[in-house]
Amino acid sequence: MINTIKSTRFLKGILVLSLAVIASAFTFTSCQKKDNVLYLYNWTYYTPDEVLHDFEKEFNCTVKMDSYSTCEEMYSKLRAGAKGYDVVIPSNDFVAIMLRQGMLRELDQSKLTNRDIINPKILSMIDYDPEMKYSVPYALSATGIMVNKTKVKGEYARNYSIFEDPQFAGHATMMDDMREVLGVSLLQLGYGMNSLDDRELDEACEQVVQKWKPNIIKFDAEGFGKSFASGDFWLCQGYPEIVFGEVDESRWEDTIDFFIPEEGSPATIDSMVILKDAPHYELANEFINFIHRPQEYAKFLDAYGYPCCVNLEAAKYASKKSMYDPEQAYTCTLKADLGEGLDKYNTRWQKIRFTD
């Protein structure tokens, strides 16, 4: 999920159709109701204002958006009893959890006229809902490695062993995220990124502590983009949008070497879902389909620089270059819902974070 480009929430008043208009109308669109408002619960800075305005204009409705910064925040609020939201955009592991717990309503397939343009490669990565009965992919976000080319002149490995390279000592950072760090350590060792094998996890933990941590100045999940742009960080593991968003587009090529190692990397697919108790079900279906109109989805690509992975038809309408080649993202592995097995990661993460 991107957190670097500012978006404006829509807080317009509810449009109420007069009784005269209602009485004279013979047909109605999904928005032409007394309560013609779509309530969107979305990541911060994740849907362009222009797209929301386009939807409001075409369907004669209002979009009201509330935002969250993590899936945990969103999920906790909904489980605590928050009502009234229609569409939510959780990451793949939380889609699986919410689906299993009966929190989602099945989509109206007759409304999803754009379902055939969703990239089959993306659907092949989704084992929890491959037929899009309950969710439609919104964007793929891959974690990778970024090297500041203005600071590093020597050769370096293009895999995760780069974190043990002494030339980066004091200028390297990895994500403050146990799944991300232990996940890539497992990949470097040739293991599965979602492994629950104790021996493999111990080996991955020791690799981070003994080989990588001596070069790492901090574990940072959000602020590394600014430090990369200022030249303090020369090597970062993280979401590319955070770095690319801080570096002027004219300097991308000369400053940023972004790559995803051949071993792969963690990835997330955020998807649009409709909540079980959504008060505006028909309008919610229209919104999900509208997002994937190629011309509209291209506005999302242009606004945030994402590679065109999910909706391939949108590429012909995009006017700006993406942060990186989408082919790199297809080697990635989705972070699975590990259930109680997550405790195994947490135990080792405490050792990584708090052992000198």
Side-chain angles (χ1 to χ4, degrees):
M1 194 285 308
I2 192 164
N3 282 300
T4 58
I5 301 178
K6 189 174 182 180
S7 174
T8 304
R9 295 185 186 180
F10 293 86
L11 298 174
K12 299 179 181 177
I14 299 176
L15 300 176
V16 181
L17 296 177
S18 68
L19 292 176
V21 173
I22 295 175
S24 63
F26 293 96
T27 60
F28 301 90
T29 67
S30 298
C31 288
Q32 291 174 324
K33 298 177 181 180
K34 184 177 180 180
D35 184 12
N36 54 342
V37 181
L38 178 79
Y39 291 91
L40 174 63
Y41 196 21
N42 195 3
W43 293 91
T44 309
Y45 318 142
Y46 206 32
T47 305
D49 294 351
E50 183 180 4
V51 174
L52 296 180
H53 281 306
D54 289 348
F55 182 76
E56 290 179 315
K57 183 178 180 180
E58 178 168 335
F59 288 88
N60 188 30
C61 64
T62 298
V63 177
K64 288 192 174 183
M65 189 174 79
D66 200 0
S67 62
Y68 51 88
S69 57
T70 67
C71 275
E72 288 78 8
E73 176 187 342
M74 172 275 298
Y75 177 76
S76 296
K77 183 174 180 179
L78 294 178
R79 292 299 291 177
K83 303 290 184 182
Y85 294 120
D86 296 303
V87 176
V88 183
I89 307 182
S91 298
N92 52 276
D93 49 344
F94 276 83
V95 175
I97 293 171
M98 295 168 75
L99 183 56
R100 187 170 64 247
Q101 294 181 346
M103 298 174 65
L104 307 181
R105 184 169 177 179
E106 190 167 347
L107 304 175
D108 181 352
Q109 298 298 321
S110 69
K111 299 289 186 181
L112 301 182
T113 59
N114 292 318
R115 62 173 289 129
D116 291 340
I117 62 178
I118 303 299
N119 188 353
K121 289 184 179 179
I122 295 298
L123 293 179
S124 70
M125 300 171 70
I126 301 173
D127 59 1
Y128 53 86
D129 189 24
E131 297 180 359
M132 294 190 291
K133 290 184 177 181
Y134 291 88
S135 63
V136 175
Y138 182 76
L140 182 146
S141 180
T143 306
I145 294 174
M146 286 144 286
V147 175
N148 191 324
K149 294 195 290 186
T150 68
K151 297 295 182 179
V152 182
K153 304 304 180 183
E155 298 293 324
Y156 47 82
R158 299 184 70 82
N159 57 47
Y160 296 107
S161 68
I162 192 174
F163 287 99
E164 60 189 76
D165 187 334
Q167 72 175 310
F168 295 104
H171 297 282
T173 180
M174 297 191 77
M175 295 192 72
D176 190 9
D177 185 309
M178 62 185 179
R179 294 295 304 280
E180 295 281 351
V181 173
L182 282 166
V184 299
S185 186
L186 285 163
L187 289 172
Q188 178 66 19
L189 293 167
Y191 304 135
M193 194 194 76
N194 296 302
S195 174
L196 291 175
D197 182 275
D198 288 318
R199 181 188 60 80
E200 294 176 357
L201 285 168
D202 285 340
E203 192 176 344
C205 178
E206 286 305 307
Q207 176 170 247
V208 176
V209 172
Q210 299 298 327
K211 296 183 178 181
W212 298 357
K213 192 174 179 181
N215 289 335
I216 296 172
I217 191 170
K218 68 183 300 187
F219 292 94
D220 183 357
E222 295 181 353
F224 61 88
K226 293 183 182 298
S227 296
F228 185 100
S230 69
D232 291 334
F233 291 168
W234 303 352
L235 170 64
C236 297
Q237 176 218 18
Y239 302 124
E241 55 264 27
I242 294 180
V243 166
F244 281 86
E246 295 293 342
V247 176
D248 188 271
E249 187 174 340
S250 64
R251 296 175 52 225
W252 282 4
E253 186 172 346
D254 294 333
T255 304
I256 307 170
D257 179 15
F258 172 81
F259 60 93
I260 295 174
E262 290 184 2
E263 295 84 356
S265 74
T268 297
I269 293 178
D270 296 323
S271 294
M272 297 177 286
V273 300
I274 300 176
L275 294 175
K276 190 76 171 181
D277 56 357
H280 310 100
Y281 175 70
E282 292 184 10
L283 185 55
N285 279 283
E286 296 284 9
F287 178 80
I288 291 174
N289 192 59
F290 182 86
I291 290 293
H292 277 300
R293 289 186 186 177
Q295 296 93 330
E296 296 297 332
Y297 195 80
K299 295 173 184 177
F300 165 73
L301 298 176
D302 283 345
Y304 302 136
Y306 273 95
C308 191
C309 296
V310 174
N311 182 335
L312 300 183
E313 288 294 314
K316 66 182 71 172
Y317 300 100
S319 60
K320 296 182 179 180
K321 64 181 180 181
S322 62
M323 294 176 287
Y324 58 93
D325 186 339
E327 290 297 322
Q328 292 193 65
Y330 301 139
T331 65
C332 297
T333 302
L334 298 185
K335 289 178 283 187
D337 169 25
L338 301 180
E340 295 181 359
L342 197 62
D343 288 340
K344 294 187 176 186
Y345 282 73
N346 187 56
T347 298
R348 288 152 178 99
W349 185 240
Q350 299 307 307
K351 180 178 180 179
I352 291 171
R353 291 291 277 109
F354 303 112
T355 300
D356 293 330

